Amino acid sequence: AQGLYGSWHADIQRSHRSRLLMGARGLRRRSASLPSDPHSAIEHALEVLDVPAPAVESYLAAALLSVNGWASWCAYERWQARLAQQDDDHIIELLAIRLSWEALLDDGARGAGSAHAAFLAAWADPNRAVARFESQHRVRWVLQRALEITYQRTLRSQLGRGLPPALQAAPRIQAVFCIDVRSEVLRRALESTSTEVATLGFAGFFGLPASYTPLATTMVRPQLPGLLAPAINATDVADTPAETSHLARLRCEALEARARWRGFRATPGSAFTFVETGGWRYAATLLTASLPNQRGVASVDRFGLPAAAAAKLRPRLNFAPAAAAGDRPSPSSVAPEPAVAMAAGVLGAMGLTEGLARLVLLAGHGGQSTNNPHAAGLDCGACCGQTGEVNARALAALLNDAAIRRGLGARGIPVPPGTWFVAGLHNTTTDEVDLFDTDLVPDSHAADLAALQGLLAQAGAITRSERAPRLGLADLRGDSSALYQSIKSRANDWSQVRPEWALADCAAFVVAPRTRTRGIDLGGRSFLHDYHWQRDPDNSILELIMTAPMVVTHWINLQYYASTVDNQRYGSGNKVLHNVVGGRLGVFEGNGGDLRIGLPWQSLHDGQELMHRPLRLSVFIEAPRERIDAVIARHAIVRQLLDHQWLHLFRIEPAGAATERYTASGWSSD
């Protein structure tokens, strides 16, 4: 109730803990003189320490960076609050606590040779320290840039080759995958299995600004990039309202029983007796979990429901007024205008306003691992660290709705009656693709569905074989069954610290038609987003790509970069030593200290060599120069990323082979 700073201020005046641990006499007495307001506390500390005015901003930043994990969490809380048109001051209160400690521990000495004199000398000119650091590392940065140029030259050559002929007619199957770099390998493998398959790349949240609430719970989680705020909610329904209500009751009863049981186990009177008398019953569970197994992914969204009951639930977007929840819309139903507008926007952004195949797969992705506090890092970044299942299934249902299709037709986006959308989930650890709601697929598309399932199985085997050497399984490449079983067991091994390599070695983001990259082996290092500038008359799609997916891919790339080059400060250290903090806040390395940010060393290094080469993201966009320039001019964040060289931008000449590089002073062909 007192807030972060207020709680700390009250505690330090009551408790002897800090004085005893730190050996600081008079700490309680001095703490009583601290202001009760965090803003005033910051001003007070700056006055006590006499920080030089030119150094104040740098000093405050350094104070927060000294507790970077907690500061990052507080910054995230403020970001989320501001997305909801609110605000959050935790980071200011954390800064007040950090500076108050500086003031409390100041010994008061002010003469030559005092600690305060050394402090003033260090902060007299922080820019000089920065310049000295730059001078010391200039040679390393030149070598770093040379490494990036080497990669860029190879990619520019690949992308500038003669374009393969475009598909002349609509393919039998279209598969839309997330732009994630792991999808590049599977897409390439899938296209190699049949000439009747075309793949596309689109951000894995599929353009749905949605949050998700599992049936009969109060949990609400975002299913969209962290840049955005949800505008609509999805939840689970069964095929009839009565069945939905029945399953909701079942889950409520199961969750309430579990809560009571956990409460009983946690009480002081039963904790030790429970372990002594009932702990042995968990031996079989522990033993079973320790043995190799081939289990599938266990979804927390279905917790508390029997498997057969959980299988009846389907995530759906909540639009009103629509048909009753769980009812399939009748041919005469009228779709709400927001639903039609959302469907039209998604199809337009995907470039699927014409030439639709008979079967269109919407494939989200997610990882599979056990006992892994970093599991969200294997899931979809565009879905805020969740899998893409909810988005894919909700969008497929939306686009299969007869009323929605009539509304799309009225907007000039006809969806052929022979087209059916099916949702899937790419398991990036095992490279399997599970399909959902196949019981709704019309009999007329049964052969297409069977063909898709067969091609996905072939593509999965090809992809596993390509990735096997990076997992240390090269000797199993000749035996697809043994390789699959080994990878599946790896995913379920609760001692496995490297279930997959996720996005390690990511280096590029290509925004262009698939014809530009089809048939090229990009080594699983490139995000691929389909884009046809001719279908974007108002430049709105390119603007969306450069301000959302481009920024998110940069975030991902920079997280890998920073965690690799300075894992102590920007990574999370040794994964084996991690302990989860507060259930969801983050991890400690050990049993206390600062929250660790970034990636653990095991996600970047195989024990012998680095598996991620730290390169700044290289973005390639196929579009006229003036269109790209227009987006850069409109968005300061994009300009800052480019002008300050946080990433590299290249332009591909449409229908040509030339590429040019963006610089702060203009475009260059070098």
Side-chain angles (χ1 to χ4, degrees), residues 270-300:
S270 62
F272 293 105
T273 55
F274 172 79
V275 172
E276 292 172 354
T277 60
W280 62 270
R281 298 182 182 179
Y282 288 83
T285 302
L286 291 172
L287 179 62
T288 302
S290 301
L291 297 174
N293 65 81
Q294 304 291 310
R295 289 192 298 269
V297 180
S299 173
V300 68

Side-chain angles (χ1 to χ4, degrees), residues 416-435:
T419 292
W420 189 262
F421 293 86
V422 62
L425 187 71
H426 172 203
N427 182 328
T428 55
T429 309
T430 65
D431 286 305
E432 301 168 278
V433 179
D434 293 323
L435 303 183

Side-chain angles (χ1 to χ4, degrees), residues 304-380:
L305 286 172
K312 298 178 181 180
L313 293 176
R314 314 181 198 271
R316 294 292 185 264
L317 297 170
N318 291 322
F319 291 104
D327 284 346
R328 298 183 189 179
S330 67
S332 61
S333 63
V334 177
E337 180 57 27
V340 176
M342 186 172 292
V346 170
L347 289 177
M350 286 183 179
L352 287 177
T353 54
E354 58 185 30
L356 286 165
R358 282 180 52 78
L359 200 64
V360 181
L361 169 64
L362 304 174
H365 70 90
Q368 180 179 352
S369 59
T370 302
N371 187 34
N372 183 11
H374 298 272
L378 305 183
D379 288 336
C380 181

Side-chain angles (χ1 to χ4, degrees), residues 121 284 310-311 390 418 489 598:
V390 169
S489 296

Side-chain angles (χ1 to χ4, degrees), residues 95-447:
L95 179 60
I97 295 171
R98 182 67 185 82
L99 294 185
S100 293
W101 274 118
E102 295 279 299
L104 287 173
L105 298 177
D106 175 35
D107 60 11
R110 290 296 184 268
S114 67
H116 186 260
F119 172 83
L120 290 181
W123 285 100
D125 188 359
N127 291 330
R128 185 187 305 166
V130 173
R132 185 169 58 251
F133 180 88
E134 290 178 348
S135 177
Q136 293 169 348
H137 290 80
R138 196 169 302 281
V139 173
R140 293 185 178 187
W141 290 347
V142 169
L143 294 173
Q144 170 71 31
R145 184 72 189 104
L147 187 65
E148 292 173 337
I149 291 173
T150 300
Y151 172 74
Q152 290 164 355
R153 283 181 175 174
T154 301
L155 189 53
R156 290 173 80 171
S157 175
Q158 289 176 307
L159 297 177
R161 74 190 186 2
L163 295 179
L167 295 172
Q168 297 302 310
R172 181 183 183 186
I173 296 171
Q174 288 168 323
V176 185
F177 287 89
C178 181
I179 62 177
D180 186 281
V181 297
R182 291 165 290 184
S183 300
E184 185 272 326
V185 185
L186 185 63
R187 288 178 62 184
R188 179 162 31 90
L190 181 59
E191 289 170 342
S192 73
T193 63
S194 173
T195 58
E196 294 186 307
V197 176
T199 72
L200 299 89
F202 192 73
F205 76 115
F206 295 111
L208 300 182
S211 60
Y212 169 61
T213 300
L215 178 70
T217 72
T218 58
M219 181 185 80
V220 179
R221 73 171 192 232
Q223 289 281 155
L224 75 173
L227 280 165
L228 309 174
I232 190 171
N233 183 255
T235 191
D236 300 311
V237 298
D239 286 342
T240 66
E243 194 164 22
T244 301
S245 298
H246 172 66
L247 294 178
R249 284 194 299 272
L250 278 182
R251 171 169 255 184
C252 284
E253 292 169 0
L255 294 179
E256 288 171 0
R258 179 177 174 83
R260 288 193 296 270
W261 176 242
R262 292 183 66 178
F264 165 74
R265 286 170 50 186
T267 57
S270 62
F272 293 105
T273 55
F274 172 79
V275 172
E276 292 172 354
T277 60
W280 62 270
R281 298 182 182 179
Y282 288 83
T285 302
L286 291 172
L287 179 62
T288 302
S290 301
L291 297 174
N293 65 81
Q294 304 291 310
R295 289 192 298 269
V297 180
S299 173
V300 68
D301 300 338
R302 301 293 178 259
F303 182 81
L305 286 172
K312 298 178 181 180
L313 293 176
R314 314 181 198 271
R316 294 292 185 264
L317 297 170
N318 291 322
F319 291 104
D327 284 346
R328 298 183 189 179
S330 67
S332 61
S333 63
V334 177
E337 180 57 27
V340 176
M342 186 172 292
V346 170
L347 289 177
M350 286 183 179
L352 287 177
T353 54
E354 58 185 30
L356 286 165
R358 282 180 52 78
L359 200 64
V360 181
L361 169 64
L362 304 174
H365 70 90
Q368 180 179 352
S369 59
T370 302
N371 187 34
N372 183 11
H374 298 272
L378 305 183
D379 288 336
C380 181
C383 299
C384 218
Q386 317 293 338
T387 77
E389 177 186 341
V390 169
N391 300 65
R393 296 179 72 181
L395 180 59
L398 186 70
L399 296 176
N400 287 329
D401 188 305
I404 295 293
R405 292 190 176 196
R406 285 195 299 275
L408 289 170
R411 286 172 169 256
I413 308 177
V415 177
T419 292
W420 189 262
F421 293 86
V422 62
L425 187 71
H426 172 203
N427 182 328
T428 55
T429 309
T430 65
D431 286 305
E432 301 168 278
V433 179
D434 293 323
L435 303 183
F436 302 103
D437 306 314
T438 54
D439 56 312
L440 302 181
V441 177
D443 293 341
S444 58
H445 289 66

Side-chain angles (χ1 to χ4, degrees), residues 632-651:
I632 296 172
R634 280 171 56 88
H635 294 276
I637 290 179
V638 175
R639 283 197 308 278
Q640 291 161 4
L641 290 176
L642 297 174
D643 291 350
H644 297 294
Q645 301 177 40
W646 290 99
L647 55 81
H648 303 286
L649 176 64
F650 295 85
R651 188 184 73 86

